[in-house]
């Protein structure tokens, strides 16, 4: 999946024609070096996710378990039954959230866009909760359709509401619309949960944003959805570069704005819905990752998306590994760790003197 | 904190929400305009007060045991039978009184936040102040195993801590509206994460109790607690009345306010302190009753429609919302569950909020 994204983004023809500001472009060497670092970090994060835990398993044993599985050994079962699914879910959800964040920031030109902050995850959550409580859904594949529907509804509501008015969708307005929507949806979620203790019991674990709520089968079932989202991102890169110039210029360059927004919106819904169905509503991964990426890539969205695809899993897996070691003997869910890492980042962004648009 | 720097304070978009803008009739017939405004505000307040009385009477009469109007009056003046006395004074009146008091507290708190921060979305719900109270209270309930009184203290403390954190983080030579709100949003997400963690670690039954508390309910009302709440309000509300004058000046903008001798930043701080105290207090007693703080003031301002602060009508709207919500949750919903009032306020809050966002943005002054 990563390689297809990479190929599409770096090898796109007509490079440069739609770049926002040619002068701001980072040197190619810096972009590639940063990407190399990001990939190395990803390898480290994946390794740590397989090695670290309440039972520290040496790397050699982990490799053994992967290459020559022997199910009579406890270490091997732990790796295969617990660590591998968890890591796979972290990879998928992180990838999806990172890309979704980058897409949302691009399409709304809003530095504060994030699937969690803009209420998209809350929409997915509400529909998933309704699915659990009213339709008895319990499989990931069942969750995901509800999650898609909820993500779609929430995304449309926030975008429409945020962009009403003369100056369009300003960053602050969108973020507030998202928060307000999240508050309402949370209240509706609670209404469903109060009457249904079984649903509440499922929800409370899932909603903390955990990578252990699902098994490998679920990850494999949802992987195709994420895959389609990734493919759409390959298309979206150039479109977002055009959109970054403003609607008029983009149109002048021959960009079909409606088509661009639809492609991005479909990708966002697929990615957010899959991530939410897999790991619960996780906030801030989509916010932080593109901002980190931009430091190395400059404003070219093809690069930002590529970086986000790598850094999203890095952040989520790192948070998950941290959560395993911070508070022994228990664990803290990845979503919670990310919230505590991400909120300071949001605050730092907001505290900047000028809340620059994208 | 540094006062008198109003001119250099960065306030983000200077345009307050439309209904916050003082009337354009500011110049010549000022006194006359003010008289008209006051008359209109008084009339709205009177109508609202009558409505509150009706709702109060109905909620005292209706229930598993229905009382007639003469029965109710007889009981209220001390001539009731033992069972009537029990129903009215032990069951229904405390619940009603608590609903009224927290309605006032939430509504005034929301009105202060929204006016001081010049943002219709800046209510204690959205920026994490009641969330902080919730997290602290749930921590007390689930981890420390505290009783209801100690839980209230935890809630109060949690709201204060979160509010201080937001204020300090948002401070940058002044507290600008959007920055305060967005930092509150960030803090609210952290608090939400903490709440999720606490709920997932607890025994299911305890977690459900906590969830019920998190919706906000006035059902556990007892007289001693009500007296404490009333005493606090008796101190805080006159404070609001004193500060309201300064708030009107602040609405003119920091520059005009300082020209009129109001220290902008210091007044803002004082108003925020009172607003936080009110929200924290109400949350401590009934839980974070969703959206009351958020919706009461805008509705009141729309009813009065003179551009005034309309604090009294806002408080009455708050009372109406809490009492009607509690009545609806108790009697009008199908099923035999004793539902918390917050379930109703939460449900009506959502569409209202979307409508507010949509209409505010149409005139281009959303936030």
């Amino acid at each position: 999946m990563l390689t297809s994204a990479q190929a599409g983004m770096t090898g796109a023809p007509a490079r440069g024609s739609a770049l926002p500001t040619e002068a701001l472009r980072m040197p190619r060497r810096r972009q590639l070096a940063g990407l190399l670092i990001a990939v190395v970090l990803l390898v480290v994060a994946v390794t740590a996710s397989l090695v670290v835990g309440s039972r520290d398993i040496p790397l050699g044993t982990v490799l053994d378990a992967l290459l020559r599985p022997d199910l009579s050994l406890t270490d091997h079962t732990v790796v295969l039954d617990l660590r591998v699914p968890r890591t796979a879910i972290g990879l998928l959800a992180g990838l999806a959230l990172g890309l979704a964040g980058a897409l949302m920031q691009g399409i709304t030109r809003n530095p504060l866009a994030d699937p969690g902050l803009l209420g998209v995850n809350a929409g997915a959550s509400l529909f998933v909760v309704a699915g659990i409580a009213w339709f008895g859904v319990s499989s990931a594949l069942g969750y995901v359709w509800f999650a898609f529907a909820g993500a779609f509804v929430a995304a449309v509501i926030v975008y429409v509401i945020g962009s009403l008015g003369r100056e369009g969708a300003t960053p602050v307005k969108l973020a507030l619309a998202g928060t307000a929507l999240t508050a309402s949806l949370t209240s509706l979620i609670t209404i469903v949960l109060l009457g249904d203790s079984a649903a509440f019991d499922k929800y409370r674990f899932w909603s903390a944003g955990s990578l252990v709520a699902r098994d490998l089968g679920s990850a494999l079932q949802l992987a195709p959805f994420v895959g389609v989202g990734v493919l759409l991102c390959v298309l979206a890169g150039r479109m977002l570069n055009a959109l970054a110039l403003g609607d008029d210029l983009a149109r002048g360059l021959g960009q079909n704005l409606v088509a661009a927004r639809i492609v991005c919106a479909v990708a966002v819904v697929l990615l957010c819905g899959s991530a939410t169905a897999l790991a619960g509503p996780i906030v801030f991964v989509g916010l932080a990752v593109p901002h980190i990426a931009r430091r190395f890539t400059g404003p070219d969205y093809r690069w930002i998306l590529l970086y986000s695809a790598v850094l999203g899993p890095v952040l989520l897996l790192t948070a998950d590994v941290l959560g395993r070691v911070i508070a022994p003997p228990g664990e803290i869910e990845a979503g919670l760790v990310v919230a505590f890492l991400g909120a300071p980042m949001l605050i730092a962004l907001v505290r900047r003197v000028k809340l620059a648009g994208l | 904190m540094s006062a008198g720097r109003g001119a250099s304070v960065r306030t983000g978009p200077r345009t307050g929400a439309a209904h916050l803008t003082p009337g354009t009739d500011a110049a010549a017939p000022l006194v006359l305009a003010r008289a008209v405004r006051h008359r209109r505000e008084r009339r709205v307040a009177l109508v609202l007060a009558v409505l509150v009385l009706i709702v109060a009477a109905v909620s005292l009469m209706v229930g598993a045991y229905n009382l007639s109007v003469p029965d109710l009056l007889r009981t209220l003046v001390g001539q009731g039978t033992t069972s009537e006395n029990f129903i009215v004074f032990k069951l229904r009146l405390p619940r009603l009184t608590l609903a009224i008091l927290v309605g006032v507290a939430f509504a005034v708190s929301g009105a202060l936040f929204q006016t001081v921060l010049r943002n219709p979305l800046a209510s204690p719900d959205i920026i994490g102040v009641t969330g902080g109270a919730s997290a602290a209270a749930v921590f007390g309930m689930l981890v420390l195993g505290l009783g209801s009184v100690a839980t209230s203290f935890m809630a109060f403390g949690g709201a204060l801590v979160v509010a201080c954190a937001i204020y300090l983080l948002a401070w940058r030579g002044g507290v600008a509206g959007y920055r305060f709100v967005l930092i509150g949003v960030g803090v609210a997400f952290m608090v939400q994460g903490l709440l999720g963690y606490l709920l997932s670690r607890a025994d299911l039954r305890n977690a459900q109790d906590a969830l019920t508390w998190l919706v906000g309910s006035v059902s556990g009302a007892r007289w001693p607690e009500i007296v404490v709440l009333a005493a606090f309000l008796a101190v805080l509300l006159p404070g609001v009345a004193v500060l309201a004058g300064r708030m009107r000046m602040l609405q003119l903008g920091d520059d005009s306010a300082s020209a009129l001798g109001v220290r902008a930043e210091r007044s803002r701080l004082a108003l925020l302190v009172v607003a936080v105290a009110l929200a924290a207090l109400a949350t401590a007693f009934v839980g974070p009753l969703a959206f009351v703080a958020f919706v009461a003031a805008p509705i009141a301002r729309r009813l009065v429609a003179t551009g005034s602060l309309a604090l009294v009508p806002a408080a009455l709207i708050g009372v109406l919302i809490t009492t009607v919500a509690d009545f609806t949750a108790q009697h009008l919903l199908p099923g035999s569950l004793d539902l918390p009032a917050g379930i109703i306020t939460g449900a009506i809050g959502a569409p209202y909020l979307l409508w507010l966002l949509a209409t505010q943005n149409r005139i281009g002054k959303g936030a």
Side-chain angles (χ1 to χ4, degrees):
Chain A
M1 261 173 286
L2 282 180
T3 46
S4 70
Q6 195 171 354
M9 283 167 203
T10 50
R15 181 184 70 76
S17 64
L19 284 185
T21 321
E22 200 66 26
L24 285 177
R25 209 170 60 121
M26 296 285 171
R28 173 56 55 88
R29 216 194 298 149
R30 179 175 169 137
Q31 290 174 332
L32 286 173
L35 189 62
L36 189 67
I37 297 172
V39 171
V40 170
L41 285 176
L42 181 62
V43 172
V44 172
V46 168
T47 313
S49 174
L50 291 172
V51 171
V52 180
S54 56
R55 168 196 282 267
D56 274 329
I57 301 171
L59 188 55
T61 318
V62 169
L63 288 176
D64 258 5
L66 293 176
L67 299 174
R68 290 181 295 276
D70 176 1
L71 293 183
S72 62
L73 296 172
T74 325
D75 277 356
H76 283 207
T77 8
V78 166
V79 170
L80 292 174
D81 290 354
L82 301 176
R83 302 265 171 91
V84 168
R86 188 168 185 169
T87 310
I89 288 168
L91 276 170
L92 267 183
L95 170 76
L97 289 168
L99 284 175
L103 285 171
M104 290 175 82
Q105 292 184 8
I107 195 175
T108 60
R109 280 192 273 156
N110 180 347
L112 297 178
D114 169 86
L117 274 179
L118 291 201
V120 177
N121 284 349
S125 303
L126 174 62
F127 278 55
V128 168
V129 166
I132 298 175
W134 296 333
F135 300 97
V137 177
S138 60
S139 74
L141 205 56
Y143 277 8
V144 77
W145 297 111
F146 287 93
F148 286 156
F152 175 73
V153 171
V156 169
I157 292 178
V158 169
Y159 193 71
V160 167
I161 287 180
S163 47
L164 288 172
R166 237 178 282 136
E167 72 278 307
T170 64
V172 176
K173 218 155 70 180
L174 267 182
L176 287 178
T179 318
L181 187 70
T182 305
S184 323
L185 293 175
T186 309
S187 149
L188 293 178
I189 289 172
T190 317
I191 291 180
V192 177
L193 294 179
L194 268 182
D196 189 334
S197 67
F200 174 56
D201 202 22
K202 282 204 192 101
Y203 174 80
R204 64 190 181 132
F205 293 106
W206 174 77
S207 71
S210 165
L211 304 186
V212 293
R214 304 256 144 257
D215 54 16
L216 195 57
S218 312
L220 292 177
Q221 282 176 336
L222 295 191
F225 296 104
V226 178
V228 175
V230 172
L231 286 178
L232 289 176
C233 285
V234 177
L235 288 177
R238 285 191 59 226
M239 296 175 168
L240 290 177
N241 279 345
L243 284 181
L245 300 170
D247 286 3
D248 295 340
L249 261 173
R251 221 177 275 122
L253 285 168
Q255 183 67 61
N256 183 339
L257 295 182
V258 178
R261 293 215 167 93
I262 288 176
V263 166
C264 293
V266 171
V268 164
V269 167
L270 283 174
L271 294 168
C272 293
S274 311
T276 308
L278 268 178
I282 291 180
V283 76
F284 290 130
V285 172
L287 177 79
V289 162
H291 282 290
I292 300 169
R294 240 172 240 119
R295 311 212 136 207
F296 296 93
T297 63
D300 186 342
Y301 265 97
R302 291 170 299 183
W303 281 95
I304 293 176
L305 285 166
L306 180 56
Y307 267 70
S308 300
V310 182
L311 289 175
V314 172
L315 179 56
L316 194 54
L317 286 173
T318 309
D320 187 45
V321 171
L322 272 179
R324 290 181 218 174
V325 296
I326 306 175
E331 287 193 357
I332 297 179
E333 281 87 351
L336 187 63
V337 179
V338 172
F340 271 80
L341 295 176
M345 165 131 193
L346 171 71
I347 290 168
L349 274 176
V350 171
R351 272 181 63 86
R352 277 196 202 157
V353 177
K354 223 173 120 191
L355 194 65
L358 288 180
Chain B
M1 312 231 159
S2 93
R5 285 188 53 206
S8 63
V9 167
R10 179 179 287 276
T11 44
R14 277 277 174 148
T15 44
H19 55 256
L20 298 185
T21 324
T24 45
D25 50 357
L30 189 66
V31 181
L32 186 66
R34 186 183 285 173
V36 169
R37 244 193 335 246
H38 278 211
R39 205 158 59 223
R40 188 172 164 89
E41 190 168 332
R42 260 203 301 275
R43 211 178 307 143
V44 171
L46 196 70
V47 172
L48 290 173
V50 171
L51 283 175
V52 167
L53 262 182
I54 294 172
V55 173
V58 170
S59 54
L60 287 178
M61 292 187 311
V62 176
Y65 181 94
N66 286 321
L67 295 170
S68 66
V69 177
D71 286 343
L72 177 63
L73 291 174
R74 193 158 42 77
T75 313
L76 284 178
V77 296
Q79 304 285 310
T81 65
T82 321
S83 62
E84 282 168 347
N85 278 337
F86 178 76
I87 287 169
V88 171
F89 291 111
K90 285 274 186 231
L91 298 181
R92 292 184 193 164
L93 197 55
R95 190 166 181 159
L96 175 71
T97 317
L98 187 61
I100 290 174
L101 292 178
V102 298
V104 171
F106 275 125
V108 173
S109 169
L112 294 183
F113 268 110
Q114 289 163 342
T115 315
V116 173
L117 298 174
R118 296 183 187 203
N119 191 321
L121 288 172
S123 86
D125 312 283
I126 306 273
I127 62 172
V129 172
T130 51
S134 307
V138 169
F139 180 76
M141 261 186 260
L142 296 179
V143 179
L144 308 178
L146 299 177
S148 66
V149 176
T151 301
S152 301
F153 276 106
M154 290 292 288
F156 191 80
L160 290 190
V161 168
V162 166
C164 288
I166 300 172
Y167 190 84
L168 291 177
L169 286 168
W171 176 263
R172 224 191 142 113
V175 182
Y178 82 84
R179 202 189 307 133
F180 194 98
V181 176
L182 284 176
I183 285 176
V185 166
V187 174
F189 270 102
M190 284 173 99
V191 168
Q192 210 58 45
L194 203 58
L195 259 178
Y197 174 76
L198 291 169
L199 285 179
S200 69
R201 290 307 181 273
D203 171 63
L204 178 59
R205 190 189 301 257
N206 293 342
Q208 265 184 316
D209 289 346
L211 184 70
T212 310
W213 186 87
L214 281 173
V215 181
S217 168
V218 292
S219 63
R222 281 190 305 262
W223 284 118
E225 294 175 13
I226 292 172
V227 171
V228 175
L229 177 58
F232 274 112
L233 288 184
V235 177
L236 286 171
L237 290 178
V240 174
V242 171
L243 290 167
R246 288 202 208 172
M247 194 149 70
R248 286 193 192 95
M249 310 269 193
L250 282 179
Q251 283 186 300
L252 301 172
D254 284 4
D255 300 349
S256 317
S258 8
L260 289 166
V262 173
R263 293 172 164 192
E265 207 49 55
R266 190 174 289 187
S267 310
R268 250 198 290 277
L269 181 61
L271 285 160
L272 285 178
V273 167
V274 178
V276 169
L278 284 170
L281 200 61
T283 311
F285 281 89
V286 300
L289 206 56
F291 288 119
V292 179
F294 179 73
V295 302
I299 293 177
R301 286 202 209 95
R302 252 163 225 271
L303 286 179
V304 174
T306 57
S308 73
L309 291 173
L311 279 176
V312 175
L316 287 167
I317 293 277
V319 170
L320 268 182
I321 292 173
T322 50
T323 50
V324 171
D326 189 40
F327 185 82
T328 312
Q330 271 191 89
H331 304 301
L332 300 183
L333 288 188
S336 55
L337 283 169
D338 187 14
L339 290 168
I343 237 178
I344 306 294
T345 59
I348 55 166
Y352 169 76
L353 183 135
L354 295 177
W355 175 77
L356 178 81
L357 282 166
T359 53
Q360 289 294 325
N361 284 343
R362 193 175 305 138
I363 50 173
K365 289 175 178 170

